[in-house]
């Protein structure tokens, strides 16, 4: 399929694809096995200017839209969504500053993220606040010229590895969602520590830890935007980042399809390569339809969001749900095509199937995405 990419966009695809094929694929199994953070690969990506894609030009970035970051993440996801998650989490961490940060915060933090010199992370989830994002318990209280933060964030991607953390805390519990505010935390702030690295089913190259705040003190001007705007900033951040998760899904599904076709062409049973049997061909055909339809929806949503940044929720949730459900199905079917070999870690589809599951869970479960789409439909049809 031809998606009519500009010369610049094709260049992004080529650069990301080269890193995926040459730097990530040869080491992805080892990173997974050792639960190893892919610092060397992220450094290669920084050298190739991929970190700057969604950061505005005035802060050292490339000023790309959702579409440009989407096509880069798709290529990285084709090789390994563990590495893709560690990479994408930087943008999730940077979006709150881009969306609501003061000029000073933007100048201070965005150039180093754009250069890949400092990694970023996003702190929303807590033990009792997952889908119910406004149920957070972490608090921030102003004491003179400092905010004092107390609480624990859970399952934070890039935890411990990142230098810059955008974190939401309640500044006025009585006001519910309207009483939350966002802050920039730095690794090394007094009272800020990390829990141990979580052991996960998949995406093991990415680091996941708790963020622990015990009377953590930060300067007053580290608040992002006005007090009370934190929840809206979080919602806008997730609207901005979810197409990136869809892109990791399309990439993973493409990678799984590639492996399944390659295997079906060389695996001989009953005297013929198994790709010559209709039962296998139909599975591969359905996988290919899934990948291409997910990509078409993702590209269209990403282009729509780029042109209509104030109306991104529904498009963002739609591509996230669809592409990640496709990724799970295609990865599962790829394991089936490879049969017993597919179940062994010797072939990459075993890891792809383990990895795919998180796509349906993180950055808002696919059930929450359907809620968002349903609520938008309700609003549209009430006008
Ligand atoms: N953009 C801008 N504003 C938004 C918004 C969006 N996408 N979504 C909600 N808001 C606003 C609402 O308009 C409302 O504003 P008012 O106070 O002015 O009315 C406010 O935010 C609260 O919205 P709502 O009542 O819909 O919030 P809920 O608590 O019901 O939660 C969902 C809504 C479920 C959609 C939200 O909690 C969510 O996205 N949960 C999933 C969180 C998630 O993705 N977690 C995983 C994190 S991994 S990084």
């Amino acid at each position: 399929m031809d998606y009519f990419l500009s010369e610049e966009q094709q260049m992004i695809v080529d650069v990301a694809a080269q890193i995926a094929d040459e730097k990530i694929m040869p080491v992805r199994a080892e990173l997974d096995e050792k639960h190893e953070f892919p610092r060397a690969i992220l450094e290669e990506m920084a050298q190739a200017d991929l970190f700057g894609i969604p950061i505005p030009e005035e802060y050292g970035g490339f000023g790309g839209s959702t579409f440009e970051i989407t096509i880069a993440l798709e290529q990285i996801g084709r090789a390994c969504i563990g590495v893709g998650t560690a990479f994408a989490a930087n943008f999730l961490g940077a979006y709150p500053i881009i969306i609501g940060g003061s000029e000073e915060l933007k100048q201070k933090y965005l150039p180093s993220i754009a250069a890949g010199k400092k990694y970023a992370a996003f702190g929303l989830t807590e033990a009792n606040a997952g889908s119910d994002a406004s149920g957070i318990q972490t608090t921030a209280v102003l004491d003179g010229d400092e905010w004092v933060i107390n609480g624990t964030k859970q399952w934070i991607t890039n935890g411990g590895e990142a230098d810059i953390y955008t974190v939401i805390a309640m500044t006025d519990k009585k006001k519910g969602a309207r009483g939350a505010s966002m802050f920039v935390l730095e690794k090394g702030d007094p009272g800020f520590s990390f829990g141990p690295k979580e052991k996960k089913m998949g995406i093991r190259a990415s680091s996941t830890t708790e963020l622990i705040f015990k009377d953590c003190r930060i300067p007053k001007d580290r608040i992002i935007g006005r007090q009370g705007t934190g929840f809206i900033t979080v919602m806008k951040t997730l609207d901005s980042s979810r197409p990136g998760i869809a892109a990791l899904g399309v990439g993973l599904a493409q990678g799984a399809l590639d492996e399944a076709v390659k295997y079906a062409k060389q695996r001989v049973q009953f005297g013929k390569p198994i790709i010559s049997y209709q039962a296998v061909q139909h599975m591969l055909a359905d996988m290919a339809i899934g990948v291409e339809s997910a990509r078409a929806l993702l590209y269209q949503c990403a282009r729509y969001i780029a042109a209509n940044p104030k109306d991104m929720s529904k498009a963002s949730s739609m591509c996230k749900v669809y592409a990640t459900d496709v990724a799970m199905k295609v990865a599962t079917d790829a394991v089936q095509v490879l049969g017993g070999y597919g179940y062994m870690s010797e072939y990459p589809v075993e890891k792809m199937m383990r990895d795919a599951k998180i796509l349906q869970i993180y950055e808002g479960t696919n059930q929450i995405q359907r809620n968002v789409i349903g609520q938008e439909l309700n609003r549209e049809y009430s006008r």
Side-chain angles (χ1 to χ4, degrees):
M1 298 276 173
D2 189 346
Y3 286 100
F4 307 103
L5 303 188
S6 69
E7 218 170 283
E8 215 168 42
Q9 291 164 346
Q10 190 57 50
M11 210 170 74
I12 293 174
V13 171
D14 294 344
V15 168
Q18 194 178 358
I19 291 178
D21 294 331
E22 294 175 10
K23 306 290 178 191
I24 305 178
M25 282 198 193
V27 298
R28 62 185 171 186
E30 190 184 341
L31 294 174
D32 175 69
E33 203 176 324
K34 294 185 176 162
H35 291 66
E36 189 178 319
F37 187 74
R39 201 162 273 273
I41 295 170
L42 294 178
E43 279 165 16
E44 297 268 358
M45 291 161 85
Q47 294 282 322
D49 284 339
L50 295 181
F51 274 77
I53 295 175
I55 311 281
E57 280 174 291
E58 57 268 42
Y59 307 108
F62 171 83
S65 71
T66 305
F67 189 78
E68 279 79 32
I69 192 59
T70 290
I71 53 179
L73 282 168
E74 179 189 349
Q75 291 306 317
I76 304 302
R78 187 168 55 77
C80 176
I81 69 158
V83 175
T85 297
F87 175 52
N90 286 285
F91 309 125
L92 187 62
Y95 282 132
I97 303 175
I98 297 173
I99 291 166
S102 65
E103 189 53 34
E104 289 71 30
L105 290 181
K106 287 179 180 169
Q107 295 282 1
K108 183 170 178 195
Y109 295 109
L110 295 181
S112 53
I113 299 173
K117 286 193 182 133
K118 288 197 171 162
Y119 299 144
F122 175 72
L124 162 63
T125 303
E126 297 180 4
N128 296 313
S131 293
D132 183 6
S134 61
I136 55 160
Q137 301 287 314
T138 297
T139 54
V141 177
L142 196 58
D143 179 25
D145 280 344
E146 291 178 326
W147 290 101
V148 184
I149 302 182
N150 278 289
T152 301
K153 296 289 171 182
Q154 182 171 269
W155 302 328
I156 305 307
T157 302
N158 283 356
E161 303 288 349
D163 310 282
I164 300 162
Y165 297 79
T166 47
V167 171
I168 185 164
M170 297 306 292
T171 40
D172 188 347
K173 275 194 170 177
K174 295 187 298 293
K175 290 190 179 159
R178 289 279 169 184
S181 307
M182 285 212 84
F183 302 89
V184 185
L185 276 290
E186 293 178 16
K187 191 178 186 173
D189 279 334
F192 177 16
S193 63
F194 304 97
K197 217 167 145 173
E198 302 287 350
K199 294 197 174 90
K200 308 191 289 285
M201 172 190 278
I203 58 161
R204 292 174 176 171
S206 69
S207 160
T208 310
T209 72
E210 283 181 344
L211 311 181
I212 303 162
F213 306 109
K214 279 197 183 136
D215 290 329
C216 171
R217 288 184 167 267
I218 57 167
K220 194 175 161 187
D221 61 6
R222 294 249 211 103
I223 189 167
I224 298 177
R226 278 181 298 107
Q227 206 173 315
T229 57
F231 189 75
I232 305 283
T233 302
V234 161
M235 290 294 112
K236 288 182 177 167
T237 295
L238 292 169
D239 284 346
S240 307
S241 69
R242 284 170 181 158
I245 302 304
L248 293 180
V250 172
L252 182 143
Q254 181 66 60
L257 175 64
D258 293 345
E259 292 297 328
V261 175
K262 220 164 56 187
Y263 180 85
K265 281 172 76 68
Q266 54 90 11
R267 171 73 168 169
V268 174
Q269 289 290 273
F270 306 105
K272 286 193 288 189
I274 62 170
I275 199 164
S276 57
Y277 297 109
Q278 196 180 49
V280 174
Q281 277 180 12
H282 282 191
M283 278 186 82
L284 295 174
D286 283 338
M287 290 158 75
I289 294 166
V291 172
E292 210 53 61
S293 54
R295 179 178 293 121
L297 178 64
L298 168 63
Y299 283 17
Q300 182 53 29
C301 287
R303 282 176 165 146
Y304 177 82
I305 289 167
N308 303 276
K310 290 208 169 120
D311 181 30
M312 55 166 89
S313 291
K314 191 174 75 176
S316 171
S317 289
M318 275 187 170
C319 62
K320 198 273 185 184
V321 166
Y322 190 71
T324 61
D325 282 352
V326 162
M328 190 70 246
K329 173 142 185 22
V330 170
T332 307
D333 288 347
V335 170
Q336 190 68 22
V337 170
L338 270 76
Y341 287 108
Y343 201 71
M344 302 297 145
S345 55
E346 184 188 341
Y347 282 85
V349 292
E350 176 266 346
K351 170 181 172 308
M352 288 172 179
M353 185 174 164
R354 283 189 286 108
D355 284 352
K357 189 64 210 165
I358 193 62
L359 294 167
Q360 296 177 304
I361 299 172
Y362 68 3
E363 291 202 24
T365 62
N366 283 7
Q367 287 70 27
I368 285 291
Q369 309 305 325
R370 288 178 168 94
N371 286 0
V372 170
I373 296 163
Q375 277 160 14
E376 288 285 330
L377 286 173
N378 189 10
R379 252 193 294 275
E380 281 169 23
Y381 282 77
S382 308
R383 276 182 206 134

